[in-house]
Amino acid sequence: GADGIDPEHQRRRAVEVLTAARSRTAALTTCVDDHDLTAQHSPLMSPLVWDLAHIANQEEQWLLRTVGRRAAIRPDIDPIYDAFEHPRADRPGLPLLPPGEARGYAAEVRGRVLDVLEGARFTGTPLLEAGFAFGMIAQHEQQHDETMLITHQLRRGPAALSAPPPPPAPVDAALLPAEVLIPGGPFTMGTDTEPWALDNERPAHQVEVAPFFLDTVPVTCGAYQRFIEDGGYHDERWWEPRGWAMVREHRLEAPLFWSREGNGWIRRRFGVTEPVPADEPALHVSWYEADAYARWAGRRLPTEAEWEKAARHDPATGRSRRFPWGDAEPSPDHANLGQRHLRPAPAGGYPAGASPHGVRQLIGDVWEWTAGDFLPYPGFRAFPYREYSEVFFGGDYKVLRGGSFAVDPVACRGTFRNWDHPVRRQIFAGFRTARDAAPERT
Ligand code: AVJ
Ligand code: FE
């Protein structure tokens, strides 16, 4: 579009998204002391100070060395911050830059990147086109900010972060239908036109989706509690074999961070313990738990194509839109994104962000597990590096859609695909359920 031909606009936009990411990174790494920055809060996570210097190292590699063709600042530390060389659990043992040096390194890289931007072109190669590399690096930093927020959630001790609560449920929330019919028919999945879409979101392709019903809102803690109280965690019928093995091995009986108190449940969230709110989307469940809940409810998880059709298909025009509400960038009225709040909003929120069929909260609040494995779309091409997506294809990972309260708008679209192991519970993941609308075949 017109945006692609105005370099001043591209430059301003790049500075804006890089600066926003850096202020979030700074907030997440200055609210705790140096001991907490270098500690390992969970074997599932890196020390916060690893994420900080990894963010800067990726920026140095892509924006300074590759786009800017500038001399390397710290080529010696590339291996330390290569996510594929060292699993997260091993990272505390690496000779990491101490917090002060990591901050200094990040600031130095950023200073030179702003200089690169002064003379940057925004066309000519795929990496430069529409400022892709700058958008990619801003998304990368924001993704690690979400990762660091997960580390904060796992961290023991008093609260380091705070935020105002999200808006209460609107008055019509209680009147919403439980499910919405999404008509069958073709739909365009993925994108060729979203300038900062990552390789796994491409290319656009037609898929045929049979009619189905989708939950109007994500499954709430209250609904999930009924699964627990009905003995869901003790009934093999609801579980995939590997999920059942996980439940038994770890004696799971509720989402991560929940514990029983009296007749009810409490949970620890960012250093504060509170009763589990019945009307909030369930959070910190694995794919196996989401899948088991759905089976218990006589339903199933939506496929990835179903989820994206519900979020993007415009029944009036047949076009696929950028977001459930249309093509406009997310505003605070559309969705709970950007860590403005430290929790999902109550189910039924954000009516301005509803899809044409009335599905709510598809974007923001909680990542939503889908039925499917993380696989390439037909015609996929790795870009700009195989390790972003390609090495994860193949069936070890399940896809999550829609983004959580911890996702920045720059890293969120109707086409955006996230993935994780089906056992993972520390991520900000919930789900909604679906069922076939077509009569059963015999
Ligand atoms: C797409 C969220 C699974 O955090 O592992 C960060 C994003 N890739 N650095 C991750 C990513 C490289 C990735 N996820
Ligand atoms: Fe990374």
Side-chain angles (χ1 to χ4, degrees), residues 52-406:
L52 176 57
H54 166 80
I55 286 167
N57 184 249
Q58 286 289 112
E59 183 167 328
E60 182 190 345
Q61 292 193 41
W62 286 102
L63 300 185
L64 270 193
R65 298 185 208 163
T66 307
V67 171
R69 299 170 185 281
R70 305 289 169 98
I73 303 178
R74 292 295 304 264
D76 57 309
I77 62 173
D78 289 359
I80 300 176
Y81 297 104
D82 181 338
F84 288 86
E85 288 215 20
H86 313 284
R88 284 177 174 176
D90 298 348
R91 292 175 190 168
L94 297 170
L96 302 177
L97 298 186
E101 282 181 43
R103 281 195 197 100
Y105 171 54
E108 183 172 358
V109 172
R110 178 56 56 86
R112 296 192 197 186
V113 163
L114 294 177
D115 187 56
V116 165
L117 257 171
E118 284 304 313
R121 290 162 45 79
F122 298 95
T123 187
T125 71
L127 210 49
L128 293 177
E129 198 62 45
F132 177 84
F134 299 96
M136 175 185 80
I137 287 299
Q139 291 179 71
H140 179 259
E141 181 160 352
Q142 290 284 1
Q143 288 180 310
H144 277 275
D145 289 344
E146 181 173 25
T147 301
M148 289 196 280
L149 193 66
I150 294 168
T151 307
H152 275 280
Q153 166 61 23
L154 287 160
R155 174 182 158 270
R156 293 269 156 190
L161 295 161
S162 65
V171 286
D172 73 346
L175 308 170
L176 293 173
E179 61 180 5
V180 167
L181 175 66
I182 310 293
F187 133 82
T188 303
M189 185 175 189
T191 180
D192 300 325
T193 52
E194 190 69 55
W196 289 355
L198 302 170
D199 58 1
N200 63 59
E201 300 165 66
R202 305 166 188 267
H205 57 289
Q206 274 233 333
V207 292
E208 193 61 39
V209 177
F212 70 103
F213 285 99
L214 185 66
D215 288 344
T216 308
V217 299
V219 171
T220 62
C221 294
Y224 198 84
Q225 251 171 276
R226 290 194 283 281
F227 168 64
I228 299 174
E229 309 311 344
D230 195 43
Y233 279 83
H234 301 278
D235 194 332
E236 189 175 355
R237 279 180 300 167
W238 314 134
W239 298 84
E240 288 253 314
R242 285 189 183 162
W244 182 241
M246 171 191 79
V247 163
R248 296 189 24 134
E249 182 187 343
H250 301 287
R251 299 171 191 276
L252 302 186
E253 53 168 16
L256 187 58
F257 306 114
W258 288 31
S259 38
R260 271 196 197 277
E261 191 178 69
N263 296 328
W265 291 93
I266 55 172
R267 78 166 153 207
R268 188 168 56 82
R269 169 138 67 191
F270 297 113
V272 178
T273 299
E274 59 171 39
V276 168
D279 64 347
E280 230 181 75
L283 187 59
H284 297 301
V285 291
S286 62
W287 183 91
Y288 288 121
E289 287 162 293
D291 174 69
Y293 172 97
R295 200 166 291 111
W296 167 81
R299 301 172 66 82
R300 58 176 175 77
L301 294 177
T303 66
E304 203 185 347
E306 286 172 339
W307 191 98
E308 189 171 318
K309 183 171 184 183
R312 298 186 61 212
H313 186 68
D314 177 357
T317 63
R319 232 186 100 245
S320 287
R321 319 194 311 183
R322 300 180 67 214
F323 295 100
W325 55 85
D327 291 339
E329 287 292 316
S331 76
D333 286 341
H334 288 131
N336 181 7
L337 290 168
Q339 203 190 307
R340 295 197 312 273
H341 313 293
L342 285 169
R343 58 200 303 156
Y350 300 97
S355 77
H357 290 293
V359 185
R360 295 209 181 167
Q361 291 170 299
L362 283 158
I363 297 293
D365 292 300
V366 295
W367 283 109
E368 300 182 19
W369 287 112
T370 66
D373 292 341
F374 186 48
L375 294 171
Y377 292 158
F380 168 84
R381 288 179 54 197
F383 179 77
Y385 61 114
R386 284 191 65 240
E387 289 75 17
Y388 184 76
S389 307
E390 192 175 15
V391 300
F392 298 99
F393 291 142
D396 290 344
Y397 298 87
K398 297 292 185 187
V399 175
L400 301 116
R401 289 303 203 102
S404 73
F405 63 87

